[in-house]
Structure formats: C-alpha cells, structure tokens
Amino acid sequence: AQTVTQSQPEMSVQEAETVTLSCTYDTSESNYYLFWYKQPPSRQMILVIRQEAYKQQNATENRFSVNFQKAAKSFSLKISDSQLGDTAMYFCAFMNLGGGGGSNYKLTFGKGTLLTVNP
Amino acid sequence: DTGVSQNPRHKITKRGQNVTFRCDPISEHNRLYWYRQTLGQGPEFLTYFQNEAQLEKSRLLSDRFSAERPKGSFSTLEIQRTEQGDSAMYLCASSLAITTNEKLFFGSGTQLSVL
C-alpha cells in the first residue's frame, strides 16, 4: 500500500515571496504519477500540477513547480510570487498506474498543508 | 465542459435515516470516483467505476454504503442507517482513462451532517 506524508501542517508566507511545501511518499511501484491539489475555503479540490514518475524533468505550471527526487521519494511544491489567492490547503497525492499488482488509478492523499499568504 | 456536478451541496439528516447523493461527471469521462473527507484530513478513497463497472471498493467501506453507476454516466452513493460518524464531505471526481494523461477533476462535494 502507498502512503503519502506531508510533515508541515501549516505554513505562512508573505505576498510576492516564495514558499516550498514538502511531501514524501512510500511505494514499491515503479509506474506512477504524483499530484498537488489545492483546496481553498470553498472546499473545491483544484489540480495544481502533475508529475510523471518516468520523467526526470520537473513539472512546472506558471508560478508552480515541483522538485521530484525519485530515489528519495520526495515531491515538493514551490510557489513563486505568492498571491493572496494561493491561501488554501494543499494536498500531495499519489496514483499508481499499474503493472506492479497494486491498486491502480486511484489517488492516495496526504493530510495536507494549510498555506496562508499574508499581505 | 461544465465540470463535475454534485447534488445536493448540503444534507442534514437524523441518525438512522437513509441518504442518497448524486454525481454527474464531466461528459465523456469514463472513470468516476467517490471520496470522503473529514475536517482537517485529506480525502479518503471509497470506490471507483470505469464505465458502469465498480472496479474497486475500499475495505474501510461499511456495508451500509452502496454506489451505482447504472449507465456509465451519473453515479449515486447511498448511505443506509446513517450514523454520526458518517458526517463528512463526500467528494466525487471523474477522469478520462488515458494512461498518458491521468487527471482527476473534482466536484464541489456534498456536506453531510448526521444529527
């Protein structure tokens, strides 16, 4: 079974600065995706970014980028030029894509990090 | 593309009553998922469908929970004889099963309160 750990329950950052959220995971699978989802106070779960495990290049989406360290099973999210609208819970999630006998195509989430962007 | 739609948004019920939630996925999405989320926690997987087939069900899921997706489009999640511990946000998500582009899109959820 896969596990996802987010060790920072809460973080805060000043507007326009950069913040990094940490995530580690444990799996014996080799073919998987990793995701960061954002959940603002409205509780709508919004996809932020996705990383394919077979890709060495780190994914980027505008102000969001990841640092994917496969050997260390680490997947951190960097938010640059933080904005007030980035205030939300951020969840790291794992999806197995099959081939290793494990449970496939469902997301396993961490417990989340509450990010507050201060003006 | 109108997104994943869930109804109702809120449901208050008395312990012992049955409740049913509906989820309409993004059109053409063949996978549909149900998750449960309690305050301060990440979503917990309940079950998922590919088309009308229920492919996996969490071992944590009580027999009081049942889900259907009769025509491979919308899905319903029913909870029988509700308990206070069932109070949570119930999230639905859908995806298009292309292994090179797996992304789940979530609805706004149904908040269940059992009194």
Side-chain angles (χ1 to χ4, degrees), chain A residues 92-104:
Chain A
C92 179
F94 174 100
M95 175 188 282
N96 183 37
L97 296 181
S103 181
N104 304 325

Side-chain angles (χ1 to χ4, degrees), chain A residues 91-115:
Chain A
F91 291 98
C92 179
F94 174 100
M95 175 188 282
N96 183 37
L97 296 181
S103 181
N104 304 325
Y105 304 116
K106 68 178 189 187
L107 289 172
T108 300
F109 288 87
K111 291 189 174 183
T113 296
L114 177 61
L115 175 67

Side-chain angles (χ1 to χ4, degrees), chain A residues 33 50 52 54, chain B residues 98-102:
Chain A
Y33 286 170
R50 184 192 71 179
E52 295 90 332
Y54 64 86
Chain B
I98 300 175
T99 54
T100 57
N101 194 27
E102 285 285 347

Side-chain angles (χ1 to χ4, degrees), chain B residues 16-83:
Chain B
Q17 297 294 305
N18 298 344
V19 294
T20 300
F21 311 140
R22 177 178 170 124
C23 172
D24 288 90
I26 294 171
S27 59
E28 298 179 355
H29 277 194
N30 53 356
R31 288 205 183 114
L32 187 148
Y33 301 78
W34 286 100
Y35 282 81
R36 176 172 62 192
Q37 185 180 25
T38 53
L39 209 58
Q41 299 294 317
E44 173 190 36
F45 171 78
L46 294 179
T47 188
Y48 91 93
F49 295 83
Q50 180 154 325
N51 300 314
E52 64 273 13
Q54 189 172 18
L55 294 189
E56 187 172 347
K57 188 174 176 180
S58 170
R59 282 172 287 180
L60 301 176
L61 204 60
S62 157
D63 289 344
R64 298 183 296 104
F65 287 71
S66 62
E68 294 183 342
R69 195 183 183 198
K71 296 183 179 179
S73 57
F74 73 92
S75 175
T76 57
L77 177 68
E78 181 183 17
I79 309 174
Q80 296 181 326
R81 305 180 303 281
T82 52
E83 301 173 357

Side-chain angles (χ1 to χ4, degrees), chain B residues 93-112:
Chain B
S94 70
S95 71
L96 182 61
I98 300 175
T99 54
T100 57
N101 194 27
E102 285 285 347
K103 294 180 182 179
L104 270 68
F105 296 89
F106 284 80
S108 299
T110 294
Q111 181 66 51
L112 173 66

